[in-house]
Amino acid sequence: MNYNKKTVYDVDVKGKKVLLRCDFNVPQDKATGEITSDKRIVAALPTIKYLLENGAAVIACSHLGKPNATFESFVKKQAAALKPGQIMLLENLRFDKGETKNDPKFAKALADMAEIFVSDAFGTVHRAHASTAGVAAYLPAYSGLLVDKELSIMGKALDDPKRPFVAVLGGAKVSDKINVINNLLEKADTVIIGGGMAYTFKKAQGYEIGQSLLEADRIDYAKEMIAKAEAKGVKFLLPVDNYCAAEFSADAEPVLCEGNIPDSLMGMDIGPKTIELFSNAVKGAG
């Protein structure tokens, strides 16, 4: 597989308007709205600095969560007035319903403000949304420095991994990772499944998972992946114990559960035995 993509280094951005897709979908305190981790913002800075220092006018954009509000006003005048070395940030892209639907009309509205599209939202490039995929139909597209770095690391790891090759997967949804899991089982020696998606796999193993996250329509797929791992001799590690609670809240009382999770509780995070299991696998990884 070829992981080499055109990057911002491959285009003269001087005097150009650049639509920059960032991943500013930062975690926030639900009560105060305060940002609890700025890692994603910091990760975008090298590309932003490079573009500004090389004379681009940067129109940065991102989504944030799943807002219920709508935002009809658009910013064509501000974008048109933007000078080289200046940057502006658009409102939450998901205020427009066309974003998640990959609506060509919304994608073109975004593209019309710029001359170049730079994709640097590594955490969302797998989603076919207007700002991640749709705009590329209207503008020359390049990778930002974060995406380039991640693809470089990923490419080396997948094409010529040091053994044992251990893959760690998380996130809420199995459906987001279907092809990833399937492909990794062809390459990895050990696959570790954590995060919310682990509960669908635990359900597939026959465990009760209480109120934990579940994609019921992916249980058969999860069974297939567990069987495929066994057939290929790949270690497929799932949580063996979990900290659970009655609700998703910082004040909820944690309850350690092994095996089944009671109906009144939901899984929140891995327990000490799982931490040891996962840690030992990662420590031994090439």
Side-chain angles (χ1 to χ4, degrees):
M1 189 177 288
N2 181 13
Y3 294 94
N4 294 322
K5 306 292 180 188
K6 287 185 177 180
T7 74
V8 287
Y9 292 143
D10 298 314
V11 60
D12 183 4
V13 298
K14 187 174 182 180
K16 300 281 177 59
K17 292 256 174 42
V18 176
L19 180 69
L20 174 63
R21 181 51 157 100
C22 302
D23 184 6
F24 294 153
N25 187 31
V26 292
Q28 294 174 284
D29 185 291
K30 285 190 174 181
T32 66
E34 183 179 348
I35 294 171
T36 55
S37 172
D38 64 358
K39 284 184 179 180
R40 292 178 178 177
I41 297 171
V42 172
L45 292 179
T47 298
I48 291 171
K49 287 178 179 177
Y50 176 84
L51 291 171
L52 294 176
E53 288 169 0
N54 284 273
V58 179
I59 303 163
C61 59
S62 176
H63 77 279
L64 180 63
K66 297 176 180 178
N68 292 319
T70 56
F71 185 79
E72 300 298 340
S73 173
F74 220 62
V75 286
K76 292 180 181 177
K77 288 184 180 178
Q78 291 95 320
L82 204 64
K83 299 288 192 290
Q86 294 182 332
I87 184 170
M88 63 184 287
L89 176 63
L90 302 185
E91 259 292 5
N92 187 342
L93 292 165
R94 288 188 181 174
F95 280 155
D96 193 302
K97 289 181 171 59
E99 164 65 359
T100 55
K101 293 177 181 176
N102 195 9
D103 181 358
K105 185 178 178 182
F106 183 55
K108 189 168 190 311
L110 291 170
D112 282 348
M113 293 187 289
E115 299 159 275
I116 293 169
F117 171 56
V118 174
S119 172
D120 211 32
F122 183 74
T124 61
V125 290
H126 64 292
R127 293 194 172 102
H129 290 175
S131 68
T132 56
V135 291
Y138 304 101
L139 292 174
Y142 300 87
S143 298
L145 302 182
L146 173 62
V147 166
D148 183 52
K149 174 185 169 187
E150 296 285 0
L151 285 177
S152 175
I153 293 169
M154 188 184 296
K156 289 172 185 173
L158 290 174
D159 287 341
D160 187 24
K162 293 179 180 178
R163 302 285 178 181
F165 175 23
V166 178
V168 184
L169 287 148
K173 293 182 179 179
V174 176
S175 52
D176 282 349
K177 314 286 191 314
I178 284 176
N179 292 330
V180 176
I181 298 169
N182 198 29
N183 290 337
L184 282 171
L185 288 175
E186 301 287 343
K187 298 173 180 285
D189 300 298
T190 300
V191 173
I192 296 173
I193 304 287
M197 63 190 285
Y199 301 107
T200 298
F201 282 93
K202 293 300 287 184
K203 186 73 173 177
Q205 286 184 318
Y207 289 97
E208 295 302 324
I209 61 168
Q211 301 302 310
S212 307
L213 281 174
L214 172 67
E215 285 184 282
D217 61 337
R218 299 299 180 186
I219 291 175
D220 287 342
Y221 169 78
K223 289 178 180 177
E224 287 175 23
M225 292 302 100
I226 293 169
K228 181 175 179 177
E230 187 175 355
K232 288 190 165 290
V234 177
K235 292 180 182 175
F236 199 83
L237 302 185
L238 290 162
V240 293
D241 60 348
N242 289 88
Y243 281 110
C244 305
E247 61 179 2
F248 189 84
S249 164
D251 302 322
E253 186 69 28
V255 179
L256 183 62
C257 301
E258 286 192 39
N260 294 323
I261 296 173
D263 287 343
S264 59
L265 300 177
M266 63 179 73
M268 295 293 176
D269 209 342
I270 57 173
K273 289 184 178 179
T274 305
I275 290 171
E276 185 177 6
L277 177 69
F278 288 1
S279 295
N280 288 336
V282 171
K283 283 176 187 174

